[in-house]
Amino acid sequence: MPLEPPAPVTTLPIHSTEAVARELLLAALEDLSQEQLKRFRHKLRDAPLNGRSIPWGQLERADVVDLVYKLIEFYEPKPAIEMTRQVLKKSDIRDVALRLKEQQLQRLGPTSAILSKYKKTYREHVQRKHAKVKERNARSVKINKRFTKLLIAPERGAVEDKVLGPSEEPEPERARRSDTHTLNRLFRGNDDVGQHPMTVVLQGPAGIGKTMAAKKILYDWAAGKLYHNQVDFAFFMPCGELLEQRDPRSLADLILDQCPDRTAPVEQILEQPSRLLFILDGADELPTLAAPEATPCKDPFEPTSGLRVLSGLLSKELLPSALLLVTTRNADPGRLQGRLCSPQCAEVRGFSDKDKKKYFFKFFLDERKAERAYRFVKENETLFALCFVPFVCWIVCTVLQQQLALGQDLSRISKTTTSVYLLFIISMLKSAGPRVQGELRMLCRLAREGILNHKAQFSEKDLEELKLQGSQVQTIFLSKKELPGVLETMVTYQFIDHSFQEFLAALSYLLEAERAPGTPAGGVQKLLNSDAELRGHLALTTRFLFGLLSKERIGDIGKHFGCVVPEHVKKDTLQWVQKQSHHKGAPVRANRNDELEDTEEAEEEEEEDLSFGLELLYCLYETQEEDFVRQALSKLPEIVLERIRLTSMDLEVLSYCMKCSPDGQALRLVSCGLVEAKGKKKKKKKNLLKRLKGSQSTKKQPPVSLLRPLCDTMTTPQCHLSILILSHCKLPDAVCRDLSEALKVAPALREFGLLQVRLTDTGLRLLSEGLAWPKCQVQTLRMQLPGLHQVIHYLVIVLQQSPILTTLDLSGCQLPGPMVEPLCSALKHPKCCLKTLSLTSVELTENSLRDLQAVKASRPDLVIIHSK
């Protein structure tokens, strides 16, 4: 039955409120003597509101009129009056403060009393409404019992924002668990300079727990644990639902929807926007800025589309002083960045190892089953690593719970995200007959059409058209939501997680009918050849597609869903990868000339698709099929990763792909972060026995670097990585130590380059040891380092000891006379095997040229490349 339309929200004359506030403040401050006014200004400087105070430079010489305008501009009308009263009391001018309070009540009414009472009502409502959250299988659980703390690292994004020189790479921020202290710090910003962000962006990959974290923040605010004395009202706004709404709604209407009834004092709430927090969940679902319908709304009482309201809030054109907490995927942060006004970013990094275990024990009610499931996953190293993503952890627990209940073998769970998602579908559908197989095809089609059209919410009509209404797959994989409308409640459906929709969209390409001979390529080509704007949006779908193309996954699909996967899908996908050497911004440099100049040119070029190369490697990793990866890389002679803060998972992916690399493979890391983010240090208590044995303890093991997996891979016979170039990177000693061990025995590495890298004297010593090792296979060494005078000593050792080094490229280096002399001595050493010395673009003194000519005379077989 249609509902009664909600009463329209009327607009309060905000400008008249501002005029009255100005009159009251002017009257109050004009009553002050010069000495009292001076005291007032000093006290006002030290009286922050929401962590912000008017800078002293604007207060020091301000007269009464200036002060009034500054107060209203900085704090807004009513908070400005409240702030003035408090400062007057602190300045011991109580009679004026009392008079101001009386006049405020007389002219503006007891708004503060109304709001104070309603604050408590609203907080209690939020606590009741959000005390439980629905799990993806529609089971309701208490948020306090199920929520497991996540790792959050502030200020990620330095690597994406600018090119880092060799001496300026920032240390990665320490990730902290999302406790009350960490979450309270989000809006604190940089206390040292008095800057406090108005917009905080929580970014992270699909399924990492951003939505759950946002809901927990709302719940903890209502419970009085967060943003005390900073936020009076907080509102949770799912962007996907707002974008799907059909009827025009104002921001005031959207606020009323979240209140316990339609009598909420929304006008008074909106009068103090600096006391409001809007939590915008899933902002990556917004279309591009260029869309004409995305013009920001500026009036909180204007009925309009959800897109315009969201655009207004994000751009700060609507309620500019309100606080925003925005969640978004980090696949395409640049697109959202254009909408935001001075955001502070924080990265959600999922579960720590400790919290993975906590999650398992919260999920399983039976402690013995929890212990068994956790122990199994812990022993599967790769699967345990994947469980840092909460949604993957939930799927793993759901599948293991079912297998434990049926007494099945737990070893069916594999080690990629794709295999975990596929096993989840197989487990949930159990024995899928022809009817369920047909339903699954339609569900995959729904997912695919939604992904391609940026659609996450589906109507009942959408389901009816595909005959999914009331089906088994709808019950299991879709969640139902009811949204308030003007005339009637609107029912929508969405997938249990957006990443799951992307997985099913990828699965749809494998469930297609066989392509007839001679017909053009189907949807796979359309997906893979999408333009740059769509590529970030379709990245996870593409990754899942690769994962489904492994022989094992194709076998599972045929066995459980009764269909033969078309051969062209895998063939088309392989050909697409091999063509990426021609892609602008691709991870490939087809021409390797001018080795030392590439980095400088890259810094001048426009940023484009910097993460594309790494994403392509993730796609290949997901297949877990060595022959496929080797064929794909055979047409990509050089992989280039540029301006990326590499994580341990990135290195796992890179190492796997290099293990499968063909002969002659080259890898170049340019301005990449190789410094691992620090975890929170734990103080371990030693028992008495360990303390007594302290002096007899074994030698402390050197720290493992972020690059260790790649270094270990380089030493295996399967790895054919021939060229490794590190450019504009910071190399900690731990990285140099692992590289040194790899250089000693890597069977395929023939060329090694250090271009404008930053490293210590210890790091230089370690690398020279590796290069001078008898079994080192490096034949070409390229070096371009600042302060080469520190390097020359170690370079001499390498030249005198390496049995295989034949080419040394010092192009672009500075070689003053005192450095050329020991270099020439090393070149004359009887054990020096060098055949080519490249000194392109190197300025040499006349004495240095004579020294080199003498070397050439004594060693006619040595080629010295220099303009003179």
Side-chain angles (χ1 to χ4, degrees), residues 18 93 115 209 235 246 331 441 458 645 668 778 791 797:
E18 184 177 322
I93 316 173
L115 277 183
F235 306 102
R246 299 170 190 168
R441 278 190 173 86
F458 302 94
R645 173 91 68 202
R668 182 195 293 254
V778 173
V791 182
I797 295 172

Side-chain angles (χ1 to χ4, degrees), residues 9 111 114-119 233 255-256 259 261-271:
V9 176
T111 305
I114 295 170
L115 277 183
S116 294
K117 183 178 179 182
Y118 196 76
K119 277 184 222 172
F233 293 91
I255 287 173
L256 276 177
C259 295
D261 54 60
R262 306 291 297 186
T263 62
V266 68
E267 297 90 346
Q268 289 91 334
I269 291 172
L270 287 169
E271 274 184 357

Side-chain angles (χ1 to χ4, degrees), residues 70 269 336 469 697:
K70 291 292 179 191
I269 291 172
L336 180 64
Q469 191 76 2
S697 61

Side-chain angles (χ1 to χ4, degrees), residues 524-543:
V524 172
Q525 294 282 17
K526 183 180 177 182
L527 171 71
L528 296 175
N529 294 319
S530 57
D531 56 32
E533 182 188 323
L534 279 172
R535 193 174 296 115
H537 170 66
L538 298 174
L540 192 55
T541 305
T542 306
R543 194 187 296 184

Side-chain angles (χ1 to χ4, degrees), residues 150-346:
L150 301 164
L151 290 175
I152 295 180
E155 290 290 352
R156 187 183 190 272
V159 174
E160 293 96 342
D161 292 342
K162 65 172 184 174
V163 180
L164 294 173
S167 62
E168 57 183 342
E169 181 191 348
E171 293 288 328
E173 288 285 342
R174 188 188 299 277
R176 301 178 184 275
R177 296 174 77 224
S178 56
D179 53 21
T180 304
H181 177 70
T182 301
L183 297 176
N184 265 319
R185 285 171 56 91
L186 288 177
F187 286 100
R188 203 169 294 169
N190 192 338
D191 290 322
D192 297 334
V193 295
Q195 293 178 345
H196 298 274
M198 307 296 288
T199 301
V200 171
V201 178
L202 288 181
Q203 59 186 38
I208 202 72
K210 301 180 294 293
T211 297
M212 179 67 92
K215 288 182 176 178
K216 186 66 164 62
I217 286 171
L218 179 69
Y219 183 80
D220 283 352
W221 163 81
K225 296 178 182 177
L226 293 178
Y227 316 130
H228 187 59
N229 292 331
Q230 189 176 3
V231 174
D232 289 340
F233 293 91
F235 306 102
F236 186 86
M237 298 194 161
C239 296
E241 292 181 13
L242 295 186
L243 293 173
E244 291 294 324
Q245 70 179 25
R246 299 170 190 168
D247 306 317
R249 312 289 301 284
S250 68
L251 177 62
D253 291 322
L254 298 175
I255 287 173
L256 276 177
D257 291 341
Q258 300 200 28
C259 295
D261 54 60
R262 306 291 297 186
T263 62
V266 68
E267 297 90 346
Q268 289 91 334
I269 291 172
L270 287 169
E271 274 184 357
Q272 300 185 35
S274 63
R275 307 286 297 173
L276 305 181
L277 168 63
F278 293 94
I279 300 173
L280 309 183
D281 184 43
D284 48 282
E285 295 187 37
L286 271 69
T288 57
L289 276 170
E293 63 274 14
T295 308
C297 173
K298 300 179 182 180
D299 182 358
F301 297 95
E302 177 193 351
T304 185
S305 67
L307 175 57
R308 288 196 62 223
V309 171
L310 291 171
S311 296
L313 287 170
L314 288 167
S315 64
K316 289 293 182 183
E317 293 190 46
L318 179 61
L319 304 185
S321 59
L323 299 178
L324 298 182
L325 179 69
V326 183
T327 73
T328 180
R329 290 192 185 184
N330 53 12
D332 190 12
R335 192 160 64 92
L336 180 64
Q337 206 76 1
R339 295 180 185 271
L340 299 174
C341 181
S342 303
Q344 165 144 325
C345 294

